[in-house]
Amino acid sequence: MTATMLAGRLDVAKGAFAVEEVPVPTPGPGQVLIKVGAAGVCLSDVHLIEGMLKPLHLKGDKVTLGHEVAGTVHSLGEGVATAAVGDRVLLQAGESRDGVVLTRGVDYDGGWAEYALATAETLVPIPDELPFEQACFIPDAVSTPWAAITGTGAVRPAEAVGVWGVGGLGAHGVQLLRAVGAHPIVAVDPLPAARERALAFGADAALDPGDPAFAERLRAATRGRPLAAAFDFAGVAPVREQAMAALGEHGRLVLVGLTNQPLTVTNGTLVSYLRQQIRGHYGSEGKDVVDLVDLVRGGRLEFSRSVSGTFPLARAAEAVEALERKKGDPIRLILTP
């Protein structure tokens, strides 16, 4: 094993990203060194590079990006008894330290590297049949919509639901809504390719939000039923007003996509009269990731269609640009050291 490795590092103070040679970390007590097999490229990583998101608890100005990580256990720190060298694992996207929730690849070094440190408690074993390229993004691209659907949105079987934005989160949102029995599932996206993907992933209808007949087509898709829940996976302000207008009595608008734009409620009286709710959502819990791996292990879920392309770690900047510009309309781009 060499003394140095490649890592995709962001200088937060300068807003500069580069793949650099850095020392290979050494696991301390309770830590594990992971040989990274694959790491996901998320829109949050793009937002960090652009400066729209800022680390809240980072010590210093530089951080190795990457909160979606899978690989094998390479070596163990003192006192680790719950893992063994060679174990195939994915890493939780964050952890709580002294009562503060920290995000991997944001508040401390992540997995855009050849090796990554992790506390033993953040390791989740994965089955041999689950490729690293599919396992790595479960802790965010899959677990975030899963938690939004089953937790924040509290979707029940046979409820009519809408999904605005069928990108990395929304595509999995459609797949997971079908798994929990929502019906009908109406996907909304301005891109024809994204609408086709939504249908392939299990949506019952896919609509263009800019269609002048949008409201009429939505009513036809739900057979006149208003939506019980609407999910904004796009993080676009106008989406929220359109989604809110589609809700019925006790309807829930769940805000998953991130935006720093103001949230506007056009008809507050109607919202109160119908007792509707706007619910913010962020991330997932550790159990969500464990449950999802179990569902994959049991053959209930499968994510091979979600891998839109792979890049070697040395070309991480190209992957970031491809996601930022939505080249090929990707669901998830993967880095492989």
Side-chain angles (χ1 to χ4, degrees), residues 30-337:
Q31 292 183 320
V32 175
L33 184 66
I34 302 298
K35 181 174 175 56
V36 176
V41 182
C42 176
L43 197 57
S44 296
D45 298 311
V46 176
H47 291 332
L48 282 164
I49 293 171
E50 292 174 338
M52 189 183 110
L53 293 179
K54 296 286 187 182
L56 296 177
H57 308 290
L58 177 65
K59 296 178 180 179
D61 291 331
K62 281 192 171 186
V63 65
T64 299
L65 296 179
H67 55 275
E68 298 181 339
V69 192
T72 55
V73 174
H74 181 272
S75 56
L76 307 175
E78 181 183 351
V80 176
T82 55
V85 172
D87 284 354
R88 302 179 78 254
V89 297
L90 59 75
L91 307 184
Q92 296 280 10
E95 60 191 284
S96 178
R97 298 181 189 173
D98 299 322
V100 178
V101 176
L102 305 180
T103 301
R104 189 183 309 278
V106 179
D107 299 308
Y108 61 98
D109 284 344
W112 286 13
E114 294 179 81
Y115 295 88
L117 279 182
T119 55
E121 292 76 14
T122 63
L123 273 59
V124 179
I126 58 175
D128 291 342
E129 62 270 20
L130 178 59
F132 293 134
E133 290 82 1
Q134 296 173 36
C136 66
F137 54 77
I138 290 176
D140 183 15
V142 183
S143 67
T144 292
W146 175 257
I149 290 163
T150 61
T152 305
V155 172
R156 295 180 292 276
E159 283 192 319
V161 295
V163 171
W164 271 258
V166 194
L169 294 178
H172 293 124
V174 168
Q175 184 178 5
L176 297 169
L177 282 163
R178 192 171 183 92
V180 302
H183 181 268
I185 303 165
V186 182
V188 184
D189 199 291
L191 299 177
R195 295 197 296 272
E196 291 176 11
R197 179 169 63 209
L199 294 172
F201 273 57
D204 298 290
L207 306 179
D208 181 348
D211 186 341
F214 175 82
E216 178 183 342
R217 295 186 190 281
L218 179 60
R219 282 193 298 271
T222 64
R223 296 184 180 178
R225 295 166 56 197
L227 298 181
F231 294 86
D232 170 22
F233 287 111
V236 178
V239 157
R240 298 174 170 189
E241 289 201 56
Q242 188 178 59
M244 197 77 192
L247 292 175
E249 190 173 13
H250 299 291
R252 294 93 67 194
L253 172 62
V254 183
L255 309 180
V256 186
L258 302 178
T259 176
N260 55 7
Q261 296 302 305
L263 174 62
T264 301
V265 177
T266 300
N267 192 337
T269 300
L270 183 63
V271 171
S272 296
Y273 177 72
L274 295 176
R275 288 160 289 176
Q276 296 170 336
Q277 297 181 8
I278 300 173
R279 303 179 181 181
H281 181 83
Y282 186 82
S284 61
E285 301 292 333
K287 186 177 184 302
D288 295 313
V289 175
V290 175
D291 288 346
L292 286 163
V293 171
D294 282 343
L295 288 171
V296 172
R297 184 181 286 110
R300 298 299 192 271
L301 295 172
E302 196 270 338
F303 300 117
S304 61
R305 294 176 298 177
S306 301
V307 180
S308 303
T310 60
F311 290 77
L313 176 61
R315 293 170 51 200
E318 293 179 46
V320 170
E321 181 185 10
L323 180 60
E324 182 182 13
R325 299 192 178 189
K326 297 184 178 180
K327 293 180 180 178
D329 193 24
I331 298 177
R332 254 314 175 262
L333 298 175
I334 307 298
L335 299 178
T336 55

